[in-house]
Amino acid sequence: MTTPVGTTPRIPEAVHRRRWAILGVLMLSLLIVVLDNSILNVAIKTISTPEPTGLGATQGDLEWAINAYTLVFAGLLFTAGLLGDRLGRKRMLLVGLAVFGVGSALAAESGSPLQLILFRAVMGFGAAFVMPATLAVLMNVFERDEQPKAIGIWAGGVGLAIAIGPITGGVLLDHFWWGSVFLVNVPIVIVAIGLMIWLVPESRDPKPGRIDLVGVGLSVVGLVLLVYGIIKGGQLADFTDPAVLATILAGIAVLVGFVLYEKRSDHPSIDISYFKNRVFSAAISSLALVFFALMGVTFFAVFYTQSVRGYSPLKTGLLMLPLAAAQLIFAPRARLVVDRFGVRAVCAGGLLLLAAMLAAFTTLEADTPIWLLEVIFFLMGTGMAHIMTPASVVIMQALPREKAGSASALSNTFRQVGGALGIAVLGSVLSAAYRSGVEDKLTLLPADIRHTAGESIEATLGVAAKLGPRGEPLVTAAHDSFLHAMHITALCGAGVALIGVVVVALFLPGRTPQEPEAEQKETDPVGAGH
């Protein structure tokens, strides 16, 4: 039980004085973890081009390059959060940053798509120890009344990383080889480690639980099987394929087994009883849905701007600025809107705006004025900012401060699983819809390259380039098929966001959990007032 609000401050004075400097260091650590994925989104087209420019990665390779990182990250977050609570969050942050830096240097020197996927997994291992620890340390250096503001700034840091990533990636790709988008992490890691040793205090749970090795293993295996099945189904454009179905069902079965095991375990990675609280479950779900949409949209938006519209990586990064700017502007201020209208109205409104903007992608064609895309991105970022901050506050204040690592790990796990499924599901929908649209136009190609040419727009354009003038009709067909596939994919994303609106409207409280009744129940504020 933590000390009730209004009594003696729980933060040592020396730590309290430097709390904002500590937040800055935590945001620098967060920056590289988020920045890495947003940089990669701009680089995927370059990596998909044949050597020596890229690695000749297929659409499936690209999805795995992103998801190898995300799956290891999501699968180990439980363990990382628990280890941070047990062994010390500062210690885990330092270990995570060091592993992330080494993985980045190795990824930069990858000689094949397989090596890139492997080293991205190493980076995900390091990132798993960084992300939950940043939010856990934040909860232990700020008093409760300042936590919503600090979390808002922390969430705004995500927006900053999304902004810096594509632009940095674009500049690097304009001047250096594709591996530079990973090598840039190394100096940031070195600076972050130095500042962390100097400024950040150590904190841990005085009563930590045992590490749940079986639960961790089940969660990782289940997620890998599920996402692999979804990606494979997209590659084959056939989700009824026996191997695809068997893999997806096996993944679901293992995840069900994980939940059943966690319910019976005396030292679970996830306390399943948290999810009996409908408010907590709804807040977690809304975060997962936001990242499902964000990762899925950025995946196909890069191909739209570069492959269809012909923009360079740098210009693509600049085009994504409104998405990031909106998050940076509105995430720290979202708490003020929540104070006035309540968590339910703000989160439901944010998801509704997100759904509308996803649906608006269906209006985009090859010659649509580009400012319309900018408006869509800005409004998407605005909607996301008004979901991420309120939902994060609800989740982090749901548990005692001693369990901050576990709460943060749970929150970040659902974000990353949502992101992984967004890339896998929406990427597979895009891939399947594209193949079905373009395959009729590929009948004149030799049988041995027909399948590969239909895998993605980049593959089709690569074949068209080799054909010279005879490939011109193939370019037109590739653009038309991709636009059709993007429209279908965007509508699927909009449908998922609308499900989120219903969940949030039904289960989140109508007012902020920070009112007096909630303060009296500090260890379970999300249970107050509903």
Side-chain angles (χ1 to χ4, degrees):
M1 177 73 73
T2 50
T3 309
V5 171
T7 61
T8 308
R10 297 160 301 186
I11 313 295
E13 181 58 32
V15 174
H16 182 73
R17 280 200 305 268
R18 63 176 190 266
R19 65 196 186 282
W20 296 108
I22 292 169
L23 178 59
V25 178
L26 296 176
M27 285 180 65
L28 183 63
S29 306
L30 176 73
L31 189 75
I32 58 166
V33 173
V34 180
L35 178 112
D36 182 72
N37 262 343
S38 58
I39 277 185
L40 184 59
N41 281 332
V42 173
I44 54 178
K45 180 180 180 294
T46 305
I47 294 171
S48 70
T49 55
E51 295 185 58
T53 305
L55 291 175
T58 66
Q59 185 115 341
D61 290 334
L62 294 172
E63 289 177 21
W64 274 110
I66 296 171
N67 280 329
Y69 176 91
T70 306
L71 282 175
V72 174
F73 189 8
L76 290 177
L77 275 168
F78 299 136
T79 314
L82 290 169
L83 282 174
D85 288 343
R86 172 189 279 268
L87 302 175
R89 289 146 193 157
K90 177 179 180 176
R91 184 175 298 169
M92 290 300 99
L93 262 172
L94 292 171
V95 169
L97 282 169
V99 172
F100 186 88
V102 171
S104 297
L106 292 171
E109 298 299 327
S110 299
S112 69
L114 182 61
Q115 285 185 10
L116 178 62
I117 291 166
L118 177 65
F119 296 136
R120 288 279 297 160
V122 173
M123 292 171 68
F125 185 93
F129 288 86
V130 174
M131 182 73 102
T134 60
L135 204 46
V137 170
L138 182 154
M139 298 300 286
N140 277 275
V141 300
F142 283 90
E143 294 290 353
R144 187 178 177 80
D145 59 339
E146 284 189 320
Q147 285 172 4
K149 182 179 180 182
I151 290 174
I153 295 170
W154 180 90
V158 176
L160 182 64
I162 293 170
I164 293 173
I167 296 169
T168 306
V171 171
L172 290 170
L173 290 171
D174 272 3
H175 295 90
F176 305 101
W177 94 115
W178 63 266
S180 61
V181 301
F182 299 112
L183 203 60
V184 73
N185 293 329
V186 177
I188 304 175
V189 164
I190 292 169
V191 171
I193 287 175
L195 290 172
M196 197 164 294
I197 292 170
W198 178 36
L199 286 171
V200 176
E202 187 58 280
S203 64
R204 54 172 60 85
D205 183 351
K207 297 178 182 177
R210 286 186 291 147
I211 302 302
D212 174 24
L213 293 176
V214 175
V216 170
L218 288 172
S219 66
V220 173
V221 171
L223 282 170
V224 169
L225 286 171
L226 177 63
V227 175
Y228 178 80
I230 293 169
I231 291 175
K232 196 66 183 172
Q235 281 181 311
L236 299 175
D238 181 11
F239 285 91
T240 62
D241 181 85
V244 170
L245 276 177
T247 310
I248 291 174
L249 291 174
I252 292 170
V254 173
L255 290 174
V256 169
F258 165 70
V259 171
L260 294 175
Y261 178 82
E262 295 297 284
K263 287 178 76 172
R264 296 181 181 182
S265 174
D266 59 358
H267 59 287
S269 291
I270 303 179
D271 187 340
I272 300 296
S273 64
Y274 296 157
F275 292 93
K276 292 179 181 176
N277 186 313
R278 295 182 303 175
V279 174
F280 183 81
S281 297
I284 283 271
S285 300
S286 65
L287 278 182
L289 292 172
V290 166
F291 274 75
F292 182 98
L294 173 66
M295 297 303 289
V297 166
T298 50
F299 190 78
F300 68 66
V302 166
F303 284 104
Y304 171 70
T305 53
Q306 293 189 40
S307 301
V308 177
R309 300 301 295 258
Y311 290 104
S312 68
L314 175 57
K315 286 180 180 174
T316 296
L318 291 170
L319 287 172
M320 288 187 174
L321 259 181
L323 177 69
Q327 289 185 64
L328 195 59
I329 293 166
F330 294 111
R333 294 170 175 78
R335 64 192 173 86
L336 304 175
V337 187
V338 170
D339 289 344
R340 179 160 184 180
F341 298 106
V343 176
R344 180 194 301 144
V346 174
C347 285
L351 277 162
L352 197 59
L353 182 58
L354 186 60
M357 291 307 102
L358 283 164
F361 268 92
T362 60
T363 65
L364 298 179
E365 301 292 346
D367 57 354
T368 302
I370 204 66
W371 63 264
L372 283 175
L373 178 65
E374 300 298 86
V375 171
I376 291 171
F377 275 155
F378 184 82
L379 292 176
M380 275 186 72
T382 303
M384 289 169 59
H386 288 91
I387 305 160
M388 285 170 59
T389 301
S392 296
V393 171
V394 166
I395 293 162
M396 292 306 297
Q397 294 191 341
L399 301 178
R401 286 155 58 91
E402 296 80 32
K403 303 294 182 185
S406 302
S408 175
L410 207 53
S411 166
N412 284 299
T413 297
F414 272 75
R415 289 180 196 220
Q416 296 308 316
V417 170
L421 290 177
I423 293 166
V425 173
L426 296 183
S428 294
V429 170
L430 183 74
S431 182
Y434 177 78
R435 182 182 289 282
S436 66
V438 82
E439 61 187 354
D440 290 345
K441 315 295 191 299
L442 302 177
T443 51
L444 297 177
L445 295 176
D448 57 334
I449 63 169
R450 200 176 300 155
H451 184 84
T452 304
E455 197 165 79
S456 69
I457 184 172
E458 276 306 303
T460 310
L461 293 177
V463 170
K466 290 177 182 176
L467 293 174
R470 291 184 300 127
E472 281 300 318
L474 212 53
V475 172
T476 304
H479 288 171
D480 291 345
S481 299
F482 178 83
L483 288 169
H484 175 67
M486 183 179 79
H487 295 162
I488 292 172
T489 307
L491 286 175
C492 289
V496 170
L498 286 175
I499 293 170
V501 174
V502 175
V503 171
V504 163
L506 288 176
F507 300 122
L508 282 189
R511 59 182 177 82
T512 174
Q514 296 235 84
E515 294 180 16
E517 186 182 343
E519 290 178 355
Q520 293 166 12
K521 299 183 179 181
E522 187 171 83
T523 57
D524 186 23
V526 296
H530 55 88

